[in-house]
Amino acid sequence: MAKSASAPANPAPAADFEHSLDELEQLVARMEGGDLSLDESLASFERGIGLYRHCQQALENAELRVRLLLDPDAPDTAEPFEPDL
């Protein structure tokens, strides 16, 4: 049973990030609408900060994984990918 629970672990972080980002965007839209009470605004702001921190951590983890893939022996010296604009 433990084996089946760990099998979908790979896609979960990306899906979790996408879900958190989507929820954060919805919160921002509702707050920008100006129809929330002060208590609702504060609760939404608090939830938004938590979502933001979660997304930021997920991005930092993804960057670390990329650095490890680019240079597994010295991830701190790996050069980040710079797209041509």
Side-chain angles (χ1 to χ4, degrees), residues 18-46:
E18 293 294 331
H19 176 76
S20 294
L21 186 60
D22 185 50
E23 185 179 345
L24 181 59
E25 289 173 345
Q26 291 175 19
L27 273 173
V28 169
R30 284 197 344 243
M31 290 176 70
E32 286 178 340
D35 295 332
L36 300 177
S37 69
L38 178 59
D39 286 338
E40 291 170 327
S41 293
L42 287 173
S44 295
F45 180 75
E46 185 176 4

Side-chain angles (χ1 to χ4, degrees), residues 2-84:
K3 201 170 197 180
S4 65
S6 64
N10 285 342
D16 189 40
F17 171 81
E18 293 294 331
H19 176 76
S20 294
L21 186 60
D22 185 50
E23 185 179 345
L24 181 59
E25 289 173 345
Q26 291 175 19
L27 273 173
V28 169
R30 284 197 344 243
M31 290 176 70
E32 286 178 340
D35 295 332
L36 300 177
S37 69
L38 178 59
D39 286 338
E40 291 170 327
S41 293
L42 287 173
S44 295
F45 180 75
E46 185 176 4
R47 176 69 178 145
I49 292 295
L51 290 167
Y52 167 79
R53 289 179 180 154
H54 175 76
C55 288
Q56 190 64 33
Q57 184 65 45
L59 290 173
E60 288 171 5
N61 288 342
E63 181 180 8
L64 177 60
R65 287 181 64 196
V66 168
R67 287 180 182 270
L68 286 170
L69 290 170
L70 290 174
D71 191 352
D73 295 328
D76 292 337
T77 61
E79 293 293 322
F81 174 73
E82 297 291 332
D84 296 331

